[in-house]
Amino acid sequence: MTDFSTTRSLFTIPDGVIYLVGNSLGALPSAVPARVARMIEAEWGRELIRGWNSAGWMVQPRRVGDRIARLIGATPGTVVMGDTLSIKVYQALAAALSLNPGRRVILSDSGNFPSDLYMAQGLVRMLGDRATLKVVEPEQVEAAIDDSVAVLMLTEVDYRTGRMHDMRVLTAKAHAAGALTVWDLAHSAGAVPVDLAGAEADFAVGCTYKYLNGGPGAPAFIYVAPRYADIAPPALSGWMGHEAPFAFDLDYRPGGGIERMRIGTPPIIALAALDAALDAWDGVSMQDVRKASIALSELFIAEVERRCPSLTLASPRDASRRGSQVSFRHPDGYAIMRALIARGVIGDFRAPDALRFGFTPLYIGESEVRGAVDILEEVLADKLWDKPEYRQKELVT
């Protein structure tokens, strides 16, 4: 059984802060600063360019990818790190379309993260009449899967409400209709148990700065099912995905397996931070994480609804249909969140009216949940949010 008192000791959270936004940016694992400093001073500083060989920088994207694979139900050698999540979405989507050339429909839903839809829209513009994007309401996805669909592209856990798609059911439905799947695990990896191999997912992508605590701008990952590893065409044919990068051939030859999904030079300092952050996951069971996060979110919902009646639950009430985050709606949600943050309860806001709270059992417990609701109740009861400075929008909400 996972000892969450031990994992809590592995994170640095400022005094007086209740941090309920690990679903947007994870807290700092205490081991990260020393690991990054060692990489900079001992590896880069002393080894210089030799570090690509002596410090293992060249194989870092694959090695760290294998550490994440354990958390998302993937086999070793099927996950590689690098670049941003949007780029990985583009890679996966383009590869899936190429593997299903007789069809042209990309099916997604209106709850998908906008950037994923933007990448799909950009790819469609590039391909002209060879592809089209169809967006339906989340509840209509299953019924919309038919023999016109080339690729089903979904974010498993809705970024705004926490509503969760059934990966196994929808993947099976897509395959039965002859479609491939691309799953975005941005709000799943490290939050809920994921079984990519068991669900027979074709492609998956995700970021590492949320529940995996890799730090701002931490590199993304891409998963390719073994059956496609050597045939998935890399739409972005960068030199690190070449079969022999240091042969410096003028013609591109894709590398073997997941290596072909590498693009450019990997961000070694960022990977060092992520590698250290993943140490906190050693010995952690995703089933235990799920059980604890449900208990925390259920407590939060019950207390908010009992004590803050002006808020309306925006997340699914059924915990099995919800990820590790909870959203409540209020017409003045932005100002309310600003007032909360000013008092040390850090969540975030998503337009048009959602106050969003994430529950990360690795460093959040029952006392933080109750303390957060105490402050939320006070902010609402005394209208502490009703100030001009809290209504002024910041660059990041």
Side-chain angles (χ1 to χ4, degrees):
M1 181 175 291
T2 303
D3 182 354
F4 291 113
S5 64
T6 296
T7 63
R8 183 189 182 95
S9 70
L10 302 177
F11 289 84
T12 300
I13 298 177
D15 291 339
V17 168
I18 299 175
Y19 195 66
L20 300 181
V21 72
N23 55 312
S24 189
L25 176 66
L28 172 67
S30 304
V32 167
R35 173 67 182 90
V36 171
R38 186 169 74 249
M39 181 272 148
I40 291 173
E41 295 167 5
E43 295 179 13
W44 180 15
R46 297 195 183 107
E47 289 301 292
L48 299 168
I49 198 169
R50 295 173 295 184
W52 287 104
N53 292 313
S54 62
W57 296 346
M58 193 65 175
V59 299
Q60 193 86 320
R62 179 79 168 267
R63 188 180 68 78
V64 175
D66 281 345
R67 299 192 73 184
I68 289 175
R70 180 185 77 83
L71 301 175
I72 57 175
T75 55
T78 60
V79 177
V80 74
M81 311 301 304
D83 319 297
T84 68
L85 178 52
S86 292
I87 290 174
K88 292 307 177 195
V89 169
Y90 191 94
Q91 278 187 288
L93 184 56
L97 274 174
S98 296
L99 290 169
N100 211 351
R103 301 186 182 189
R104 45 193 301 273
V105 176
I106 302 165
L107 176 63
S108 191
D109 76 337
S110 58
N112 206 345
F113 191 65
S115 184
D116 291 18
L117 297 178
Y118 301 162
M119 298 310 288
Q121 290 163 6
L123 181 59
V124 166
R125 284 194 298 271
M126 291 288 292
L127 294 174
D129 61 2
R130 288 177 290 166
T132 184
L133 175 63
K134 179 179 180 180
V135 178
V136 300
E137 293 298 312
E139 296 77 16
Q140 297 172 348
V141 167
E142 186 171 359
I145 300 172
D146 58 28
D147 60 9
S148 71
V149 176
V151 183
L152 175 65
M153 180 188 73
L154 296 172
T155 296
E156 185 183 23
V157 175
D158 187 303
Y159 77 100
R160 187 181 284 115
T161 67
R163 175 198 43 76
M164 188 159 60
H165 280 303
D166 190 321
M167 178 186 293
R168 191 178 294 269
V169 167
L170 292 178
T171 298
K173 181 73 181 288
H175 287 172
L180 279 71
T181 59
V182 174
W183 287 96
D184 184 337
L185 306 180
H187 291 273
S188 305
V192 299
V194 179
D195 186 9
L196 291 175
E200 299 186 347
D202 301 305
F203 295 86
V205 297
C207 58
T208 60
Y209 47 79
K210 300 182 190 294
Y211 295 97
L212 298 180
N213 311 297
F221 63 84
I222 185 169
Y223 161 86
V224 181
R227 59 188 174 276
Y228 295 122
D230 287 314
I231 61 173
L236 301 172
S237 46
W239 79 303
M240 284 290 171
H242 193 283
E243 182 182 59
F246 287 90
F248 297 108
D249 292 338
L250 297 184
D251 295 318
Y252 181 82
R253 302 192 312 275
I258 195 65
E259 290 291 319
R260 66 181 53 205
M261 291 300 169
R262 293 178 65 169
I263 302 174
T265 305
I268 298 302
I269 298 174
L271 281 171
L274 174 59
D275 197 24
L278 290 172
D279 289 347
W281 290 93
D282 290 345
V284 171
S285 160
M286 284 308 306
Q287 284 68 32
D288 291 344
V289 169
R290 178 63 169 160
K291 181 179 178 181
S293 72
I294 287 176
L296 293 174
S297 60
E298 290 287 271
L299 173 63
F300 183 76
I301 291 170
E303 289 295 302
V304 170
E305 291 193 323
R306 181 172 68 85
R307 297 157 61 182
C308 308
S310 64
L311 298 181
T312 302
L313 182 65
S315 300
R317 190 167 295 280
D318 180 354
S320 69
R321 297 182 54 243
R322 191 176 65 233
S324 195
Q325 62 194 62
V326 172
S327 295
F328 279 90
R329 290 196 171 98
H330 191 284
D332 294 294
Y334 181 76
I336 293 169
M337 183 55 71
R338 288 286 304 275
L340 278 175
I341 292 172
R343 288 159 179 79
V345 177
I346 304 182
D348 64 9
F349 173 82
R350 289 296 177 262
D353 59 0
L355 295 96
R356 198 172 65 147
F357 305 90
F359 299 91
T360 50
L362 268 63
Y363 52 81
I364 290 295
E366 182 177 325
S367 63
E368 285 82 10
V369 170
R370 293 188 184 278
V373 180
D374 288 343
I375 295 172
L376 177 59
E377 181 182 26
E378 180 184 8
V379 165
L380 290 169
D382 297 339
K383 284 198 169 185
L384 301 178
W385 54 267
D386 195 9
K387 297 180 179 180
E389 60 265 33
Y390 293 149
R391 295 182 181 278
Q392 184 174 349
K393 292 288 179 71
E394 295 189 311
L395 289 176
V396 177
T397 62

